[in-house]
């Protein structure tokens, strides 16, 4: 356990030092880099100081500009992705051999718990907030978010949340394992999460609570912004699809995250004040599952709806035609938002609930696949007979659609009670879930990063490396998670550090082969992300400058949106004869 903790602590320390070194290269701490915040650079590349903002690192610590905060969210999410990715690689290396390759059981359980929480709460939600903060005001023609200071507070809550969630890894070596990482799995099922005396569980719960508060504050801000800050020309009929999905997501957050916060408070009280909310003689251990999954399944759509919006926005741009059935995509988004609160108990089919109640949840779980299928057919029809351009953003959108189909179909199987009773708590569930989380949400995030990279940085990325990143990610994703689906059919339980079981349960040789195949796929996927990091960092520092406000030639098909119109005005303001102070900091020019 100590060795495993020390190894992971060392890896995290190296990562944090690397991030600090990178930031010192990317940012001139003595000046204001205007492309991220609304100012400009003159033709001789001499920085023009925006006197309304402080210079240097103080700018990043005090900024309330939605674009700066969007970049902060993005950097935070990429760091969390790197930490969660390292944890995932340790898990896959551990499972190469039946007896476990590198980790003890406790270390494995700690890493498994933190991997899930990191990817869902510290990467998934913040990467969406990065795009939404930067581009929602630009897309709707607003100068900034409705509550800029609340927007900043919502972000700055997240770094302490991450430190609390990861605290056990740092504190275990210095406290002689008196405080260890949580080993509850990311679902924190009772009574296990109540009975663990480890204070690291309390720290993790407090970190989760903080992240939920930040997400709720951001949701209130997005709803207020979209309702009250739209330009006069933007109405509900022509509001872009990304804003629709963010609006729906924010409404889900308002109902889901406070419930998680309440459940976490009750769990903390059970752990520390001996209350009985989740004790057998009190509310019962199943009460936690009901409360957690009433949050947990809307959370899946909180994570996947904005990526659907990104794909619905980006895919038509490179298909040369408008999104097919725009109104039906909007209606299906709203339908998913409503239905998502009626499916939570399909995670609990094997708990022994009333069969009549179980059947009703199965029906709704099958029904919610319909609006998702509507979106899928609309994306395919948009591409049908279109003028396709296979740029890197478009490749990731197509990869999103194909992975989402596999993840969605496997989810429909799990929504069927007889199938779920066999496959529940096996690697089939892990494969299904990761096809959605990595194969869909991750791919949409990469599509957004590449599509808006010129707006973020004023430069263009290396296209060849971008396509290499896609193909490595696509191949690695499908090898890894398809192998997990096969493991589920073989009956391999999830969350096990070793699998030296009797051959009567499953053919051990085949189980080991598919675990090794999943590890090979994970290595390919990991190499692809190294291509991504190198491409983004190198291009941000040294990539060719974008001199055209329409770097994707979208105007050819009449697909130029407001954010690129704003970007074009930014480039015009960089010209020496133009006064950059005349350009507003948000989506509109001052009259």
């Amino acid at each position: 356990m100590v060795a495993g903790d020390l190894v992971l602590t060392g890896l995290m320390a190296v990562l944090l030092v690397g991030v600090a070194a990178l930031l010192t290269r990317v940012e001139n701490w003595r000046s204001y880099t205007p492309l991220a915040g609304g100012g400009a650079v003159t033709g001789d590349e001499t920085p023009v100081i925006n006197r309304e903002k402080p210079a240097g690192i103080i700018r990043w610590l005090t900024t309330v500009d939605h674009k700066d905060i969007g970049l902060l969210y993005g950097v935070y999410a990429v760091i969390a992705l790197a930490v969660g990715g390292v944890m995932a690689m340790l898990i896959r290396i551990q499972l190469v051999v039946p007896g476990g390759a590198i980790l003890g059981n406790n270390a494995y359980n700690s890493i498994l718990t933190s991997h899930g929480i990191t990817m869902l709460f510290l990467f998934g939600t913040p990467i969406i907030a990065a795009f939404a903060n930067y581009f929602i005001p630009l897309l709707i023609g607003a100068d900034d978010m409705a509550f800029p200071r609340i927007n900043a507070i919502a972000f700055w809550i997240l770094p302490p949340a991450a430190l609390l969630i990861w605290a056990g890894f740092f504190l275990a070596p210095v406290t002689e394992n008196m405080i260890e990482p949580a080993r509850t799995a990311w679902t924190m099922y009772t009574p296990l999460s109540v009975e663990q005396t480890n204070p690291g569980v309390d720290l993790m719960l407090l970190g989760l609570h903080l992240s939920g508060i930040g997400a709720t504050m951001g949701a209130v801000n997005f709803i207020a912004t979209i309702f009250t800050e739209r330009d006069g020309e933007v109405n509900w009929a022509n509001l872009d699809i990304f804003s629709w999905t963010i609006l729906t997501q924010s409404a889900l957050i308002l109902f889901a995250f406070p419930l998680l916060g309440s459940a976490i408070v009750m769990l903390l009280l059970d752990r520390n004040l001996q209350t009985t909310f989740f004790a057998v003689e009190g509310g019962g251990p199943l009460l936690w599952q009901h409360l957690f999954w009433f949050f947990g399944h809307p959370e899946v759509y909180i994570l996947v709806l904005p990526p659907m919006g990104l794909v619905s926005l980006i895919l038509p741009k490179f298909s040369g035609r408008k999104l097919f059935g725009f109104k039906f995509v909007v209606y299906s988004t709203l339908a998913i938002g409503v239905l998502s609160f009626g499916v939570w108990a399909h995670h609990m089919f094997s708990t022994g609930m009333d069969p009549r109640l179980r059947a009703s949840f199965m029906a709704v779980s099958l029904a919610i696949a319909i609006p998702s299928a509507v979106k899928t057919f609309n994306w395919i029809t948009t591409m049908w007979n279109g003028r396709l351009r296979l740029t890197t953003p478009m490749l990731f959108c197509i990869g999103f659609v194909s992975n989402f189909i596999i993840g969605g179909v496997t989810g429909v199987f799990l929504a069927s009670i007889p199938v779920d009773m066999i496959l529940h708590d096996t690697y089939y569930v892990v494969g299904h879930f990761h096809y959605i989380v990595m194969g869909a949400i991750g791919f949409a995030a990469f599509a957004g990063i590449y599509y808006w990279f010129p707006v973020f940085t004023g430069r263009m990325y290396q296209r060849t490396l971008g396509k290499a990143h896609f193909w490595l990610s696509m191949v690695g994703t499908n090898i890894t998670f398809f192998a997990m689906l096969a493991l589920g059919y073989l009956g391999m339980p999830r969350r096990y550090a070793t699998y030296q079981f009797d051959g009567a349960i499953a053919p051990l040789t085949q189980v080991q082969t598919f675990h090794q195949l999943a590890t090979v796929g994970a290595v390919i996927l990991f190499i692809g992300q190294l291509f991504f990091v190198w491409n983004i960092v190198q291009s941000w520092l040294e990539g060719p400058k974008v001199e055209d406000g329409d770097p994707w030639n979208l105007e050819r098909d009449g697909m130029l949106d407001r954010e690129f119109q704003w970007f074009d005005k930014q480039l015009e303001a960089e010209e020496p004869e133009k006064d950059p102070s005349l350009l507003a900091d948000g989506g509109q020019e001052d009259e």
Side-chain angles (χ1 to χ4, degrees):
M1 174 64 185
V2 176
D5 285 342
L6 287 174
V7 169
L8 192 59
T9 301
L11 288 173
M12 288 184 174
V14 171
L15 176 66
L16 292 175
V17 171
V19 169
L22 171 63
L23 289 176
T24 58
R25 283 201 65 193
V26 170
E27 176 63 27
N28 180 357
W29 301 106
R30 302 290 299 173
S31 66
Y32 168 51
T33 305
L35 281 174
V41 177
T42 59
D44 59 358
E45 299 187 3
T46 302
V48 176
I49 305 300
N50 185 333
R51 298 301 178 185
E52 296 181 359
K53 293 183 179 181
I57 195 171
I58 299 300
R59 165 202 167 190
W60 294 102
L61 296 176
T62 61
T63 183
V64 294
D65 177 20
H66 68 97
K67 294 179 293 300
D68 286 351
I69 294 172
L71 288 174
L72 289 171
Y73 267 111
V75 171
Y76 175 91
V78 170
I79 293 172
L81 176 65
V83 173
V86 169
M87 292 177 177
M89 286 304 302
L90 291 174
I91 292 170
R92 291 311 325 157
I93 293 171
Q94 166 75 0
L95 296 172
V96 166
V97 295
I102 57 173
L103 301 172
N105 290 347
N106 286 343
Y108 177 86
N109 292 334
S110 298
I111 292 169
L112 184 75
T113 300
S114 295
H115 165 71
I117 293 173
T118 297
M119 288 305 204
L120 291 176
F121 295 94
L122 304 183
F123 165 69
T125 307
I127 194 64
I128 293 165
F131 293 120
N133 268 280
Y134 203 107
F135 290 106
I136 290 294
L138 301 183
L139 288 168
I140 67 174
D143 286 334
D144 206 312
M145 298 288 286
F147 306 109
R149 289 179 177 83
I150 292 179
N151 197 28
I153 294 171
F155 169 75
W156 285 110
I157 284 176
L158 291 181
L163 292 177
L164 285 169
I165 290 170
W166 297 332
F169 292 104
F170 300 106
L171 295 176
V174 299
T175 62
E176 297 182 350
N177 291 333
M178 292 180 63
I179 301 176
E180 296 180 306
R183 296 192 293 271
T184 60
W186 74 274
T187 53
M188 299 162 282
Y189 278 176
T190 55
L192 175 64
S193 56
V194 175
E195 294 173 351
Q196 282 191 15
T197 57
N198 170 27
V201 178
D202 298 300
L203 296 177
M204 180 266 290
L205 291 172
L206 290 171
L208 275 180
H209 199 23
L210 272 183
S211 70
I213 292 171
T216 305
M217 294 172 70
V220 172
N221 212 350
F222 285 124
I223 292 173
T225 300
I226 294 172
F227 267 88
T228 66
E229 299 295 318
R230 298 194 312 274
D231 181 72
E233 299 177 358
V234 179
N235 53 41
W236 293 114
N238 61 15
L239 183 67
D240 66 278
I241 187 61
F242 182 57
S243 297
W244 272 111
T245 55
I246 290 295
L247 184 63
T248 307
Q249 179 219 34
S250 299
L252 296 184
I253 288 174
L254 282 188
F255 286 99
F257 269 92
L259 182 70
L260 175 67
S262 302
I264 287 175
V265 169
M266 287 189 280
L267 184 55
L268 285 167
L269 291 175
D270 272 15
R271 287 179 51 81
N272 296 283
L273 297 180
Q274 287 71 54
T275 55
T276 58
F277 291 109
F278 305 117
V280 174
E281 63 273 17
L286 281 185
L287 176 60
W288 170 264
Q289 291 194 37
H290 280 291
L291 293 175
F292 180 84
W293 288 118
F294 189 81
F295 150 81
H297 205 81
E299 165 67 2
V300 174
Y301 295 106
I302 287 169
L303 292 174
V304 82
L305 280 175
M308 287 177 171
L310 282 174
V311 170
S312 300
L313 183 76
I314 297 170
L315 185 143
K317 301 295 189 287
F318 301 104
S319 298
R321 52 189 301 195
K322 294 187 180 300
L323 179 65
F324 178 83
F326 177 87
K327 288 185 180 179
F328 286 95
V329 177
V330 173
Y331 294 151
S332 65
T333 298
L334 299 176
I336 288 173
V338 173
L339 291 174
S340 67
F341 285 99
V343 299
W344 80 86
H346 69 218
H347 295 272
M348 303 170 60
F349 284 160
S350 62
T351 59
M353 68 170 63
D354 189 303
R356 294 165 296 180
L357 185 63
R358 193 168 60 181
S360 67
F361 279 104
M362 180 180 76
V364 181
S365 298
L366 293 171
I368 202 171
I370 296 173
S372 298
V374 168
K375 293 179 183 293
T376 302
F377 284 116
N378 282 11
W379 294 325
I380 294 172
T381 309
T382 301
M383 292 187 286
W384 194 268
N385 287 335
R387 301 168 63 183
L388 299 186
R389 290 186 289 156
L390 297 180
T391 61
T392 302
M394 183 62 168
L395 288 173
F396 273 104
C397 287
I398 296 172
F400 170 98
V401 175
S402 61
N403 291 334
F404 182 73
I405 290 172
I406 299 175
V409 169
T410 52
V412 171
F413 283 126
L414 289 172
S416 173
I417 294 171
V419 177
D420 183 80
M421 296 296 286
I422 297 172
L423 296 176
H424 183 78
D425 224 16
T426 69
Y427 261 85
Y428 187 91
V429 179
V430 181
H432 152 70
F433 187 60
H434 282 78
Y435 259 112
I436 298 297
V437 173
M438 181 60 203
I441 297 172
F443 273 51
F446 291 134
I449 290 171
Y450 284 114
Y451 176 62
W452 280 315
F453 189 80
V455 179
F456 285 132
T457 66
R459 299 178 183 272
M460 183 54 76
Y461 61 85
Q462 297 183 50
R463 292 175 172 84
T464 302
L465 288 181
K467 292 183 177 180
H469 172 217
F470 165 75
W471 286 112
L472 287 168
S473 298
M474 190 68 180
V475 171
T477 294
N478 281 276
I479 291 176
T480 301
F481 304 131
F482 202 86
M484 290 183 181
L485 297 177
L487 284 168
Y489 281 123
L490 289 171
M492 173 67 202
R494 58 178 174 166
R495 298 176 178 150
Y496 277 42
T498 62
Y499 48 98
Q500 291 176 305
F501 44 71
D502 191 320
I505 299 176
L508 183 57
T509 303
Q510 291 186 31
V511 170
Q512 183 176 359
T513 299
F514 278 109
H515 268 302
Q516 292 171 344
L517 193 61
T519 300
V520 170
V523 171
I524 296 172
L525 185 58
F526 187 78
I527 293 172
Q529 308 327 301
L530 296 179
F531 275 67
F532 165 72
V533 172
W534 170 260
N535 191 6
I536 294 301
V537 173
Q538 194 274 340
S539 299
W540 199 316
L541 295 175
E542 302 171 358
K545 278 184 169 292
V546 175
E547 298 179 356
D548 184 358
D550 183 14
W552 298 113
N553 195 21
L554 301 177
E555 197 167 6
R556 181 194 70 179
D557 300 309
M559 305 295 288
L560 197 64
D561 275 340
R562 284 172 169 261
E563 78 276 25
F564 280 103
Q565 294 171 2
W566 171 84
F567 179 57
D568 189 42
K569 294 172 184 176
Q570 286 286 89
L571 294 179
E572 290 179 5
E574 294 179 16
E575 299 175 12
E577 66 272 13
K578 298 291 182 68
D579 182 0
S581 65
L582 296 177
L583 188 64
D585 201 38
Q588 299 172 311
E589 290 190 50
D590 295 328
E591 297 293 336

